[in-house]
Structure formats: structure tokens, C-alpha cells
Amino acid sequence: MKSHVWRPLFVVIGIVLLILIARQFLVPKDFGIHERGYMYGWYKKSNEEYWKTKIAVKYKSAEYCKDCHSDKYAMIMQTPHAIIQCENCHGPAMEHPSDPPKLAIDKSRAQCLRCHYPLPYPTSGRANIRGIDPEKHNPDVECSMCHNPHKPKIGGTK
Amino acid sequence: MINRRDFLKNAVKGIAGLALPLAAIEIVSPRKLFAAKGETGKESKIRWAFLVDTYKCVGCGLCVKACKLENEVPYDANVTRTWVERYVLTKDGRVFADTPKGARDGFTTSKIDLGEGKFQDIKKDDIQKAFFVPKLCNQCENPPCVQVCPVGATYQAPDGVVLVDRKWCIGCGYCIMACPYGVRFFHPVYKVAEKCNFCYHRITKGLKTACVQACPFGARMIGNIKDPNDPVSRIIRNERVSVLKDEYGTRPQVYYIGISREVI
């Protein structure tokens, strides 16, 4: 065969080789695929470690709170509000008390209305929760003025 | 007539010529490279699965709030890894569904958000059934988002959770379009695809996900479907549960109790 046929072929082979060599340097060592093949099998081990270790746990649960705030914990545990995590109103603990030293408490009416706005939906648990009409029931006043969220009955100790 | 010398020469050339492309395929097959490192073939003893009991959900949205803060999803941007939908089905067969701000602030009005600033109040007596449906990533066994990613930036970990490599993602958005459940979105800060990963940083430390922990009513549960004694695994095996868009063949791993066919 004439060289004008071979020459472009050599160029193509050269390009393929270049790509293969470049690939060796560019593709991370832990990048590959599982037995499932190219459709679903992509996998990168080091990135799994990123998600495992580089994200901070911010919500610590009531278990984290109960030793220092044992009085509040003991109080709320005797009420229907026992099912609510401290952090749902007090915000994520993060590294409290070192960081942040004080947590911002959500005392807004909207926070209480998440459950206590009456929606009488049959087949939903919402129908079983007692609610108030926020436009008629002492509007413009924080619920905690009268109701202690840790002891949610009028007159309960604050 | 071919002589011995030429025959051997050609034979060697031919074999070398055949072997070269085969060797090249070996080099470009990441599967082979990966197997050489001894990473494949080890099957995980964990397969995370999620269970949602819609009878228990009251639509308080505390799960959404906790998720956004835990996973550093910008709080006021209208994107979220998990959300709660409200379905109201009327006696005359109409279906209403809304999820204002992904239910981050719960449902504090009976008016259904129809979009474009329109709202509709439905009388109590007109309601046939109404309920709340929390949604999150289904961590599909056959994840379409992984299939369409042109750079292999999203992948399924051995325990079934689909993760996104934020460094490798080019932000093309194919996966956002491919997900039949609409759980993926563009992260406003990192400018890459973002999704629920069952709080991978928590579950791998033995904690519950932020949404499971925040739920006061136990409507959300997470467990290991490969462990026969796991409470979630028991319920999925022994009770009547369903999944979303089963017909897509994605084999989703978020199971629901108490949804009806209107839920999409």
C-alpha cells in the first residue's frame, strides 16, 4: 500500500496513544467501576471518605442535651411534647457550649403552628392534634407568653 | 508458495497485531484496574433503606428544617434535599397537591398553594382524604442519575447510597433532568449537582439521619435492609409497603406506608 494511506493511520494511532498516556495521569487512581459495568457501576473510593468525614454532625439529639439541662429534660419528658427533639426549637447544638455558646431559640408562633394549626385531614396524624386559629387566638403574642413549651398547659411553671 | 521464514514472520506480526488492541482494551477498562486493587467483589453487609409512614406524618416540616441546616443547603434558597408534599383529594375527584418552600416551615394554612400566587381553600366537608408525603432521594438500585452522568461524578457506594463527587461534577445538569423523582438540584454555592445522601456523614457513624431524628412522630425511619432483624427491614418484609414510580424500573429504596395512586 502507498504511504498516503499509512500516514493518517499512524496519526490516528499516535492520538490514541496520547489519550491513553494522558489518561494515566488525569484519571484518579481510585476511580473505577464495579462489576455492574459502565451503566451504573461508577465508583470513587476517596470521595466516599469525603462524605463520611468532611461533613460536620450538627444535630446531636436530646441525648446530648439531657446531662447539663436535666431539669428541662425531665420536665418535658412528662408532657406530650416529649416526642419533640430539643434542637427542633433551640436549633442545632453543633459544638455547644463551646461553639456556639448560646443557641437561638425559635419562639415564633409559626414554630408552634407547624403542628397546632388545625388541619382536619382524615387519614393523617395531623387531625389528632389540637389546634388554634392563629388569627383569633391572641394574635401578635408569642405562644410562650402563656404556654410553657416544656410544660404546655396554661399555668404550668415557666 | 509461502516459505517457512515468511510464514513465521507473518504469524508473529499477526499475533502481535491482534494482541495490541486487546492490551489497549485492558488498559482502558477501569473495571480491570479496579479489580487489581482488590476493591471489587467484596459485597457490603449494609444496604440502606428508608421507610415513610404517611399516616404518622403531620406535615410539621421539622425534618426539612433539620435537613437544610444539617447539610448546609442555603436556607432561603428554594432548593431542598427533602420536602413534604400535601395531598388533598376532594369528594368530587379533584386532586390538590402543594409543598410551599418544600414545607420548610410546615403547613400553617388550609389554603392550597396552586402556584403563580393563587391559593385555594377547600372546605372540610369536601375533603375525601388528605395526607402528607415526605419525599427524599430513593437511593435507587438502578439509579438513572448515575447512568446519565457523562463524567462518572455520581456513583453508588457499596451500601447503596448514591453520592456526588463535588470536585468531579461539571454541573451539566443531566442527572437533575434524569431523576424521575426530582430529588436533584443545582447547589447554589458549590455550583454542582446536589442530592439527599441519607446524611451519609451520620449513618456511617451509627447515627440516624437528621430528618429521622427531627421527626417527632416517627414517620421517618432508616435501616439496613440486609439485616433481617432490623426494624425497618422487618416492616418492609412483613407489611404492605409501596414505592414511588415502580414502573420505571429504578428499584427505589424508599418505602411508603399509606400512599394512594395520586401520589407521584
Side-chain angles (χ1 to χ4, degrees):
Chain A
M1 248 187 284
K2 299 245 175 71
S3 63
H4 73 271
V5 178
W6 285 113
R7 241 179 273 152
L9 184 67
F10 288 141
V11 171
V12 169
I13 291 169
I15 290 168
V16 169
L17 279 175
L18 267 178
I19 291 168
L20 286 175
I21 291 162
R23 192 186 170 284
Q24 290 294 312
F25 292 102
L26 292 177
V27 176
K29 289 284 166 281
D30 59 346
F31 181 76
I33 58 165
H34 287 303
E35 291 85 346
R36 296 192 71 191
Y38 286 99
M39 197 186 270
Y40 301 119
W42 300 107
Y43 186 46
K44 194 172 168 204
K45 183 80 182 156
S46 65
N47 185 248
E48 201 184 288
E49 294 305 315
Y50 168 85
W51 287 109
K52 275 182 188 168
T53 56
K54 293 280 188 270
I55 314 289
V57 173
K58 296 165 197 78
Y59 278 82
K60 299 283 168 77
S61 97
E63 291 297 303
Y64 183 80
C65 315
K66 72 175 189 187
D67 291 336
C68 301
H69 303 282
S70 53
D71 53 332
K72 293 273 165 31
Y73 182 80
M75 197 195 276
I76 201 166
M77 286 317 272
Q78 289 164 13
T79 76
H81 280 180
I83 55 173
I84 303 171
Q85 288 283 336
C86 311
E87 290 163 305
N88 281 347
C89 302
H90 293 263
M94 294 191 268
E95 298 306 319
H96 176 78
S98 60
D99 177 37
K102 242 178 141 46
L103 299 177
I105 308 170
D106 188 351
K107 288 184 179 173
S108 65
R109 284 170 74 86
Q111 176 75 354
C112 306
L113 290 172
R114 283 171 180 269
C115 297
H116 294 292
Y117 183 90
L119 290 173
Y121 292 163
T123 76
S124 163
R126 183 69 167 258
N128 307 327
I129 302 174
R130 285 191 293 173
I132 54 117
D133 183 344
E135 278 160 26
K136 292 187 184 136
H137 185 93
N138 303 318
D140 311 321
V141 176
E142 275 178 0
C143 308
S144 60
M145 288 277 282
C146 305
H147 307 269
N148 179 354
H150 294 150
K151 202 172 180 186
K153 246 190 201 165
I154 294 182
T157 49
K158 280 220 165 190
Chain B
M1 184 67 194
I2 192 164
N3 61 34
R4 185 185 298 199
R5 184 177 289 262
D6 281 345
F7 172 77
L8 286 174
K9 260 187 192 168
N10 285 338
V12 167
K13 270 187 202 162
I15 290 163
L18 278 173
L20 195 70
L22 284 176
I25 289 163
E26 295 273 306
I27 291 164
V28 296
S29 167
R31 194 196 309 215
K32 294 275 176 183
L33 289 179
F34 214 56
K37 294 197 189 85
E39 288 288 346
T40 52
K42 275 187 284 178
E43 210 180 313
S44 173
K45 287 196 177 104
I46 299 170
R47 205 315 171 190
W48 297 107
F50 209 91
L51 182 67
V52 176
D53 188 339
T54 60
Y55 289 108
K56 289 181 179 166
C57 181
V58 306
C60 67
L62 289 169
C63 49
V64 181
K65 180 188 177 186
C67 172
K68 288 195 104 169
L69 293 174
E70 177 75 25
N71 292 298
E72 293 164 40
V73 176
Y75 200 67
D76 289 318
N78 199 17
V79 288
T80 178
R81 286 179 171 203
T82 184
W83 67 97
V84 183
E85 292 171 0
R86 161 168 66 181
Y87 284 83
V88 176
L89 318 179
T90 62
K91 285 177 181 157
D92 54 2
R94 289 175 301 160
V95 179
F96 295 93
D98 72 341
T99 174
K101 288 183 189 169
R104 185 197 74 186
D105 303 327
F107 293 86
T108 53
T109 172
S110 58
K111 294 184 181 74
I112 311 280
D113 188 350
L114 301 176
E116 297 170 342
K118 288 181 198 149
F119 294 88
Q120 174 141 8
D121 208 352
I122 294 157
K123 286 197 202 84
K124 190 188 169 189
D125 293 335
D126 292 340
I127 298 172
Q128 183 77 56
K129 51 184 170 183
F131 49 89
F132 300 98
V133 182
K135 295 265 183 90
L136 68 165
C137 177
N138 285 278
Q139 316 294 355
C140 302
E141 197 59 38
N142 299 328
C145 53
V146 172
Q147 184 181 349
V148 299
C149 181
V151 295
T154 187
Y155 59 93
Q156 194 177 39
D159 52 16
V161 176
V162 176
L163 298 169
V164 181
D165 185 345
R166 281 178 174 165
K167 277 196 194 134
W168 214 241
C169 175
I170 56 171
C172 70
Y174 283 9
C175 55
I176 298 168
M177 303 307 289
C179 176
Y181 308 98
V183 303
R184 279 177 174 250
F185 58 93
F186 199 67
H187 197 293
V189 176
Y190 296 103
K191 314 283 185 203
V192 294
E194 175 80 357
K195 67 181 281 296
C196 159
N197 55 22
F198 281 0
C199 284
Y200 207 61
H201 61 295
R202 297 176 65 97
I203 57 174
T204 49
K205 292 185 184 85
L207 302 167
K208 300 283 181 203
T209 68
C211 59
V212 169
Q213 192 173 83
C215 180
F217 302 93
R220 289 172 176 252
M221 278 175 275
I222 185 162
N224 174 14
I225 209 167
K226 283 191 181 169
D227 176 1
N229 296 317
D230 186 286
V232 169
S233 153
R234 261 174 207 271
I235 292 170
I236 291 168
R237 261 181 298 122
N238 300 333
E239 292 184 31
R240 291 183 291 274
V241 295
S242 54
V243 292
L244 297 172
K245 294 180 183 166
D246 200 15
E247 68 277 14
Y248 280 54
T250 52
R251 292 176 63 204
Q253 299 298 315
V254 175
Y255 295 83
Y256 286 88
I257 298 173
I259 52 170
S260 61
R261 64 179 178 81
E262 289 84 3
V263 177
I264 46 164

